[in-house]
C-alpha cells in the first residue's frame, strides 16, 4: 500500500443558499476503512465528490499527500450511485471495465492492449463476473451492475476506493456479497464507503462517521451507531408514547 | 424516376444529400439519444434560423448564416450551462426562441419581396444546390473523422462523464467538441429536413434502432439505414407530389418507430412465454 493522506480542512460547499457541508475537517490515511452514514441531504455524496475533485468547495482546502489534486499522483477509484449511470447504454461488461484502463490523454485511434484485456479478466474474476464479460449491461441485475462498476474502479489500481451507496437498489443477497467483497478489498486498498446499511458494515469498518453537514459523531462503529441512531430513535419513541400515539 | 435521376442534376444532388444526411444523422443521432441531448439539438437548430435571416438581410448564403449561428448557439448554451446554476431547459428555450425571433426580425428588415424561407424551415431535398452539397460533404467528413478517430474516448465519455473526469481526462474539451459536432450536424440536415424537423430525423431512427440491438456500433448502422429509407421516401414523394420533404420524412419515421416498438414488444412477449 502506497503512503496516502487526504486532508479536508474547513470545507464548506453551498448550493445557492443551501449549505451542503459546513466547515468540515477530516483526514484519511492509508489503510483506513471508513464508513460514512447520515441522513439524506446530509452532504455525504457532496463530500465524496469534493474529494474526487468533481465539486469545488466554496471554502476550505483539500490536500492530497500535502499537495493539490492536479499535482498529486494519487489514483482514486469511484463507485457512484447506481442512479447516476445510464443502465440502458449499449455497451458490454468488458467494455465498461476496460474503460478504467484508458489513459488520461485523449488519444486518436486508441486501442486496448492485450495486457489491458488480461488485467480486466483478472479484475472480473475478483468480483465474480468473468462469465458475464460479453453481456450487455442492460441485461445485468442491480448487484451484478454494481460489481461491474467496482471492477472498473479496480482496474485503475487505486490507492483509495470511494463508494457511494454501492448497495442501493440491490437485493439482500447481493448486498451481502458486495459488502464481503469490499471487506476483502479493504486489506489492500484504503476505502471510504457511504451507506445506509449501518448494521451490515459496523462490524467491518475501522471507523464510522455520522455526517450531517458536519461530522456529528466519529470513531468506534458501535459507539457511533448507538449515539447517532439508537438515541434519536429511543427519543422519538418516548415522545410518541408520551403524546399518546400508537407505537 | 430512376431515368430522371441520371438525367437531372437537382435529383443527383438530392440523392447525394440523402446519403450524406443519413450517414451523419444516423451516427450522431445515436449519440444525441444516448447522451440525452435531443432538446439541446432542437435549441441549436432553431437558433440557426437567426443566421438564415441574417444571410437574406446581408445578401450572403443563408446556410452560412445558419452555420455561424449554430456554432455560437452550441458554445453559448454550453458555456452558460457550465457557469450558471440556472436550469438547462430554460437556457435552451431562451436560445431557441431568440434565434427564431432574430430570424423573423432579419427577414422582416430584408428589402423587397419577403424571401422563401419554407425550404429552410421544413426542408426541401429537391432544392439542394452544388454549393450546399460541397458544404455538407466537408462538414460530414469533419464530423465522421472526429467520431471515429476518438471512438473509445467518446464511448467512455457518453457512458459515464463523471468517470472520465475522475480519470483526469479533459472532459470539457470532449463536451465542447460534442456540442460543435451537434451544430455541424444540424447544418448538414437543415436543407433536407428543415430547422423545425431536425430533431425528428436525429432522434427517431436512433430510438427505433435501440429496439433492435444492444450494441452501439450496430445501433449506428441501423440508424443510418432507417434515416436513408426515410429520406428516400421523402425524396420520392416530393418528386411526384409537391409535399414538403421534411413532413414526409417525419411521417415515415414515426410509422417505422411504431413498427419497431411493436416488434420489440412481440419479441419480449415471446421471451416471457418461453420463460413460463
Amino acid at each position: 500500500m502506497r503512503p496516502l493522506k487526504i486532508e479536508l480542512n474547513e470545507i464548506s460547499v453551498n448550493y445557492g443558499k443551501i449549505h451542503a457541508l459546513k466547515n468540515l475537517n477530516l483526514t484519511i490515511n492509508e489503510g483506513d476503512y471508513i464508513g460514512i452514514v447520515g441522513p439524506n441531504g446530509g452532504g455525504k455524496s457532496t463530500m465524496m465528490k469534493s474529494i474526487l475533485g468533481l465539486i469545488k468547495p466554496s471554502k476550505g482546502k483539500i490536500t492530497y499527500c500535502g499537495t493539490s489534486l492536479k499535482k498529486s499522483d494519487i489514483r482514486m477509484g469511484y463507485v457512484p450511485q447506481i442512479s447516476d449511470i445510464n443502465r440502458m447504454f449499449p455497451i458490454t461488461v468488458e467494455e465498461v471495465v476496460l474503460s478504467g484502463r484508458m489513459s488520461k490523454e485523449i488519444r486518436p485511434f486508441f486501442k486496448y492492449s492485450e495486457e489491458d484485456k488480461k488485467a480486466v479478466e483478472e479484475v472480473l474474476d475478483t468480483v465474480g463476473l468473468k462469465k458475464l464479460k460479453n453481456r450487455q449491461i442492460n441485461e445485468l441485475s442491480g448487484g451484478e451492475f454494481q460489481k461491474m462498476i467496482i471492477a472498473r474502479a479496480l482496474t485503475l489500481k487505486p490507492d483509495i476506493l470511494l463508494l457511494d451507496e454501492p448497495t442501493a437498489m440491490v437485493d439482500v443477497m447481493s448486498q451481502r456479497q458486495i459488502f464481503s467483497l469490499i471487506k476483502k478489498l479493504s486489506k489492500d486498498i484504503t476505502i471510504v464507503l457511504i451507506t445506509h446499511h449501518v448494521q451490515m458494515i459496523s462490524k467491518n469498518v475501522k471507523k464510522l462517521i455520522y455526517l450531517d453537514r458536519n461530522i456529528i459523531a466519529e470513531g468506534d462503529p458501535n459507539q457511533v451507531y448507538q449515539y447517532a441512531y439508537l438515541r434519536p430513535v429511543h427519543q422519538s419513541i418516548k415522545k410518541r408514547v408520551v403524546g399518546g400515539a400508537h407505537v | 424516376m430512376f431515368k430522371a435521376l441520371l438525367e437531372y442534376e437537382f435529383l443527383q444532388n438530392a440523392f447525394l444529400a440523402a446519403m450524406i444526411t443519413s450517414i451523419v444523422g444516423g451516427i450522431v443521432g445515436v449519440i444525441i439519444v444516448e447522451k440525452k441531448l435531443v432538446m439541446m439539438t432542437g435549441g441549436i437548430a432553431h437558433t440557426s434560423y437567426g443566421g438564415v435571416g441574417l444571410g437574406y438581410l446581408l445578401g450572403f448564403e443563408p446556410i452560412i448564416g445558419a452555420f455561424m449561428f449554430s456554432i455560437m448557439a452550441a458554445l453559448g448554451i454550453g458555456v452558460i450551462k457550465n457557469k450558471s446554476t440556472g436550469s438547462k431547459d430554460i437556457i435552451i428555450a431562451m436560445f431557441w426562441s431568440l434565434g427564431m425571433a432574430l430570424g423573423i426580425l432579419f427577414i422582416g428588415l430584408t428589402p423587397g419581396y419577403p424571401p422563401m424561407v419554407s425550404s429552410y424551415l421544413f426542408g426541401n431535398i429537391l432544392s439542394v444546390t452544388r454549393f450546399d452539397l460541397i458544404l455538407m460533404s466537408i462538414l460530414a467528413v469533419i464530423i465522421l473523422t472526429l467520431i471515429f478517430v476518438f471512438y473509445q474516448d467518446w464511448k467512455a465519455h457518453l457512458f459515464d462523464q463523471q468517470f472520465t473526469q475522475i480519470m483526469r481526462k479533459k472532459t470539457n474539451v470532449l463536451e465542447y467538441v460534442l456540442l460543435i459536432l451537434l451544430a455541424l450536424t444540424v447544418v448538414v440536415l437543415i436543407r433536407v429536413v428543415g430547422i423545425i424537423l431536425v430533431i425528428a430525423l436525429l432522434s427517431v431512427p436512433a430510438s427505433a434502432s435501440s429496439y433492435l440491438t444492444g450494441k452501439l456500433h450496430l445501433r449506428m448502422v441501423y440508424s443510418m439505414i432507417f434515416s436513408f429509407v426515410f429520406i428516400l421516401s421523402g425524396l420520392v414523394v416530393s418528386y411526384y407530389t409537391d409535399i414538403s420533404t421534411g413532413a414526409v420524412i417525419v411521417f415515415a419515421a414515426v410509422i417505422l418507430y411504431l413498427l419497431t416498438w411493436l416488434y420489440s414488444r412481440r419479441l419480449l412477449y415471446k421471451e416471457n412465454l418461453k420463460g413460463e
Side-chain angles (χ1 to χ4, degrees):
Chain A
M1 218 180 266
R2 290 202 306 169
L4 172 87
K5 191 171 197 173
I6 299 176
E7 289 174 290
L8 287 77
N9 301 307
E10 296 289 315
I11 293 299
S12 295
V13 177
N14 303 328
Y15 298 119
K17 287 178 184 172
I18 299 163
H19 302 289
L21 290 174
K22 209 172 175 185
N23 304 326
L24 177 77
N25 290 296
L26 176 69
T27 303
I28 304 164
N29 292 303
E30 81 260 19
D32 276 350
Y33 181 6
I34 302 172
I36 314 270
V37 294
N40 289 329
K44 303 184 294 295
S45 300
T46 301
M47 185 200 77
M48 199 166 262
K49 286 181 179 175
S50 302
I51 294 172
L52 289 158
L54 296 172
I55 291 176
K56 206 176 165 196
S58 336
K59 213 186 91 189
K61 203 177 165 189
I62 305 176
T63 56
Y64 305 79
C65 296
T67 181
S68 67
L69 182 59
K70 265 190 181 173
K71 288 178 187 164
S72 82
D73 65 343
I74 288 179
R75 289 189 296 264
M76 291 192 282
Y78 177 47
V79 178
Q81 288 187 17
I82 202 164
S83 56
D84 284 359
I85 301 180
N86 177 7
R87 284 184 66 183
M88 301 309 286
F89 192 83
I91 193 167
T92 64
V93 171
E94 187 184 33
E95 286 171 327
V96 169
V97 183
L98 268 170
S99 67
R101 300 281 296 184
M102 287 188 100
S103 68
K104 67 176 185 178
E105 285 84 29
I106 300 168
R107 278 194 200 160
F109 302 108
F110 177 79
K111 260 189 157 187
Y112 295 106
S113 65
E114 282 307 310
E115 195 188 326
D116 291 333
K117 288 181 182 169
K118 212 174 157 189
V120 164
E121 288 254 329
E122 279 172 27
V123 173
L124 283 173
D125 199 24
T126 310
V127 300
L129 288 183
K130 203 174 171 183
K131 282 182 185 168
L132 303 180
K133 74 171 188 172
N134 293 321
R135 280 258 179 103
Q136 289 291 316
I137 63 163
N138 60 12
E139 295 168 13
L140 300 179
S141 69
E144 287 163 349
F145 188 87
Q146 284 296 33
K147 285 180 198 164
M148 174 191 73
I149 298 297
I150 294 172
R152 181 183 66 172
L154 292 177
T155 52
L156 290 167
K157 295 211 161 85
D159 300 305
I160 178 169
L161 185 60
L162 300 116
L163 304 105
D164 192 351
E165 295 189 39
T167 53
M169 296 160 72
V170 163
D171 63 82
V172 179
M173 269 306 285
S174 300
Q175 280 174 13
R176 286 197 185 129
Q177 285 173 1
I178 290 170
F179 282 132
S180 138
L181 172 67
I182 296 168
K183 190 185 171 187
K184 205 168 105 186
L185 294 171
S186 70
K187 287 171 189 159
D188 303 311
I189 307 169
T190 305
I191 287 186
V192 179
L193 166 68
I194 293 174
T195 184
H196 286 294
H197 298 104
V198 192
Q199 279 176 307
M200 274 195 178
I201 62 152
S202 56
K203 283 177 193 162
N204 299 343
V205 294
K206 290 176 187 163
K207 184 159 92 173
L208 193 65
I209 291 174
Y210 185 89
L211 190 76
D212 189 3
R213 291 176 204 177
N214 203 329
I215 294 175
I216 306 296
E218 72 174 302
D220 176 69
N222 287 322
Q223 282 179 357
V224 172
Y225 176 65
Q226 298 253 340
Y227 175 82
Y229 284 90
L230 298 181
R231 193 178 56 108
V233 171
H234 289 320
Q235 277 176 355
S236 74
I237 288 171
K238 208 173 163 187
K239 272 182 198 165
R240 284 163 77 187
V241 171
V242 170
H246 295 289
V247 178
Chain B
M1 191 186 167
F2 185 72
K3 202 178 160 193
L5 183 65
L6 298 171
E7 210 170 311
Y8 298 113
E9 191 185 297
F10 77 95
L11 268 181
Q12 290 162 6
N13 289 351
F15 190 76
L16 287 171
M19 278 178 66
I20 297 169
T21 311
S22 50
I23 293 170
V24 173
I27 292 172
V28 178
V30 172
I31 293 175
I32 287 168
V33 167
E34 291 305 330
K35 191 78 177 148
K36 298 182 174 52
L37 290 171
V38 176
M39 292 319 288
M40 170 81 91
T41 314
I44 294 170
H46 283 75
T47 311
S48 72
Y49 189 59
V52 171
L54 191 67
Y56 279 120
L57 178 65
L58 301 180
F60 60 85
E61 273 290 334
I63 197 76
I64 297 289
F67 172 76
M68 293 187 308
F69 269 60
S70 297
I71 299 276
M72 283 194 292
L75 296 177
I77 294 172
V79 169
I80 296 173
K81 183 171 75 77
N82 286 343
K83 304 248 172 192
S84 82
T85 50
S87 157
K88 190 172 105 181
D89 285 349
I90 292 168
I91 298 163
I92 292 170
M94 279 200 303
F95 272 85
W96 186 306
S97 40
L98 180 69
M100 292 302 283
L102 282 173
I104 294 165
L105 181 75
F106 292 147
I107 287 164
L109 291 172
T110 305
Y113 286 111
M116 290 289 287
V117 290
S118 65
S119 71
Y120 284 97
L121 286 173
F122 306 108
N124 187 354
I125 199 165
L126 297 174
S127 68
V128 171
T129 61
R130 279 280 152 174
F131 175 79
D132 292 331
L133 215 52
I134 292 167
L135 182 69
M136 285 165 79
S137 308
I138 294 169
L139 297 184
V141 169
I142 296 171
I143 293 166
L144 298 178
T145 307
L146 281 172
I147 290 173
F148 288 112
V149 170
F150 302 104
Y151 185 71
Q152 293 296 352
D153 285 302
W154 288 122
K155 205 189 236 183
H157 180 74
L158 294 173
F159 173 59
D160 188 357
Q161 186 177 339
Q162 223 171 42
F163 182 72
T164 44
Q165 210 174 329
I166 291 162
M167 290 182 79
R168 303 184 199 183
K169 264 190 190 298
K170 289 182 176 121
T171 44
N172 271 348
V173 174
L174 287 172
E175 198 60 18
Y176 284 115
V177 171
L178 182 61
L179 291 177
I180 291 170
L181 286 180
L182 295 191
L184 300 183
T185 307
V186 164
V187 178
V188 172
L189 265 64
I190 279 177
R191 297 297 282 130
V192 173
V193 81
I195 287 168
I196 294 173
L197 303 174
V198 155
I199 46 175
L201 190 60
L202 284 171
S203 59
V204 180
S207 305
S209 67
S210 72
Y211 289 125
L212 303 180
T213 177
K215 289 179 179 158
L216 187 64
H217 65 280
L218 279 183
R219 269 191 201 179
M220 289 176 171
V221 172
Y222 285 137
S223 181
M224 277 192 282
I225 295 168
F226 287 156
S227 299
F228 189 67
V229 171
F230 301 153
I231 299 168
L232 214 58
S233 59
L235 174 62
V236 172
V237 174
S238 288
Y239 179 75
Y240 288 110
T241 67
D242 206 17
I243 297 171
S244 151
T245 336
V248 179
I249 290 171
V250 173
F251 276 127
V254 173
I255 290 167
L256 193 121
Y257 178 81
L258 289 173
L259 289 175
T260 49
W261 179 73
L262 286 171
Y263 174 72
S264 74
R265 298 289 299 174
R266 195 165 161 256
L267 282 184
L268 202 69
Y269 177 71
K270 273 187 175 176
E271 268 178 34
N272 286 344
L273 278 184
K274 264 187 201 172
E276 281 170 13

